[in-house]
Amino acid sequence: MTVTSEARADEFARQADPYRRELLAHCYRMLGSLHDAEDTVQETYLRAWRGYDGFEGRSSLRTWLYTIATRACLRALETRGRRALPSGLAGPSGDPDAPLAPPLTDVPWLEPFPDTLADPLAGDPAAIAVGRESTRLALVAALQYLPARQRAVLILRDVLRWRAAEVARLLDTTTTAVNSALRRARAQLAELSIDGVGPEPSDARQRDLLDRYLVAFERADIDGLVRLLAHDAVLEMPPHATWFRGADAIGRFLAPRLHAPGGMLTLPTRANGQPAHAMYKPGPDGGYRAHGLVVLTVAGERIDRLTVFLDPEVVRAFGLPAVRAGGATR
């Protein structure tokens, strides 16, 4: 019996499509960019489809797809520099009252990642927790400091829990080399003293903190915002290299920008396993237009970091509306 190409395509889609979301999260961890990750996953599925007739089942289909995706990421990283956040480029600004420096358009900035794209279709709570925790913004930023192959080893071993022998086969090396690369990668991450990857408060406490923050934000309540920030909180705003450390400095910077209630509307979401919200500014037609996305890092009972992605396209990438009607604030 001859299997038609259409039937073969249907079989491939049925077998491979359930892994698309987790492969996207994997490529994002490697590349630090949602757009690059999407392109790499597309390349992965194209290569896999072309080679599907030769797939002999010596490994699982999932392992085979991860192998193709990881190798595609490594090829992409050969010609790309690390993706950064402003706090990884220089020290904080000492003057929150000074005009904001022009955006840097030639820097490959780290991008946020929607939680909805990290969640497996099966909805397994443990898999969802791992997916979100391993895309935390601070962790993905730290991974960018690792050489590409060390980054791959760390993600495959510590996130995906592959055996050293499996990683060695993927990278065409030895288990000794894999274990050595893993030790170096772990040591380098430890030296970076990553912020924002520790335990978070319970979901209920986190929701309460986010609700109070959004109310203060929309009401331009600077004092209320500052009270929700950790003493040494950070505000950074790619594509601007300027960033600030300290609740008081952040309050001084935000005061003229959130100058009156209703000057900005918000829409809650989640990114990188963290609470987040879109920002909307008034437009000339009376509506509110997408302005950017804020990812919040929560530590204890306070907000430790505000990472503000000042790009309306980021809002659209999260599947959120580009325009909102005006209305009463919270």
Side-chain angles (χ1 to χ4, degrees), residues 28-29 31-32 110 134-144 272:
Y28 171 75
R29 295 181 201 105
L31 302 172
L110 194 71
S134 60
T135 57
R136 298 274 292 173
L137 203 56
L139 176 59
V140 177
L143 289 172
Q144 299 297 300
N272 297 84

Side-chain angles (χ1 to χ4, degrees), residues 66-194:
Y66 267 101
T67 298
I68 297 171
T70 303
R71 289 172 177 169
C73 288
L74 291 172
R75 285 193 299 272
L77 290 170
E78 289 175 357
T79 56
R80 301 176 194 178
R82 74 176 178 93
R83 288 189 171 267
L85 289 173
S87 56
L89 299 179
S93 170
D95 186 3
D97 301 314
L100 193 61
L104 297 181
T105 57
D106 58 343
V107 173
W109 296 108
L110 194 71
E111 297 175 3
F113 188 81
D115 272 17
T116 53
L117 298 184
D119 296 347
L121 290 175
D124 175 54
I128 290 173
V130 170
R132 292 183 175 183
E133 185 66 24
S134 60
T135 57
R136 298 274 292 173
L137 203 56
L139 176 59
V140 177
L143 289 172
Q144 299 297 300
Y145 286 90
L146 299 178
R149 285 172 69 87
Q150 280 189 26
R151 195 182 310 176
V153 167
L154 184 82
I155 293 169
L156 292 168
R157 292 283 282 121
D158 284 357
V159 176
L160 299 176
R161 301 300 180 185
W162 281 30
R163 297 187 300 273
E166 293 176 306
V167 179
R169 281 195 295 272
L170 188 156
L171 297 177
D172 193 24
T173 187
T174 65
T175 56
T176 300
V178 166
N179 290 330
S180 176
L182 181 60
R183 285 193 297 272
R184 293 196 301 272
R186 287 172 174 170
Q188 187 164 348
L189 287 190
E191 289 177 3
L192 290 172
S193 301
I194 307 170

Side-chain angles (χ1 to χ4, degrees), residues 200-215:
E200 288 189 322
S202 67
D203 288 345
R205 285 182 177 272
Q206 194 173 114
R207 284 194 299 270
D208 176 66
L209 179 61
L210 178 62
D211 287 345
R212 287 185 287 138
Y213 161 85
L214 293 176
V215 167

Side-chain angles (χ1 to χ4, degrees), residues 8-57:
R8 192 67 169 157
D10 289 343
E11 178 190 351
F12 173 75
R14 185 175 63 256
Q15 296 288 335
D17 278 357
Y19 303 113
R20 189 177 290 270
R21 284 172 177 258
E22 61 180 274
L23 286 168
L24 184 64
H26 174 62
C27 293
Y28 171 75
R29 295 181 201 105
M30 286 288 296
L31 302 172
S33 163
L34 173 59
H35 295 95
D36 288 353
E38 288 174 332
D39 289 345
T40 304
V41 169
Q42 286 295 103
E43 177 188 344
T44 296
Y45 274 76
L46 180 59
R47 287 176 177 272
W49 162 239
R50 288 173 175 170
Y52 190 52
D53 285 338
F55 175 60
E56 299 175 349

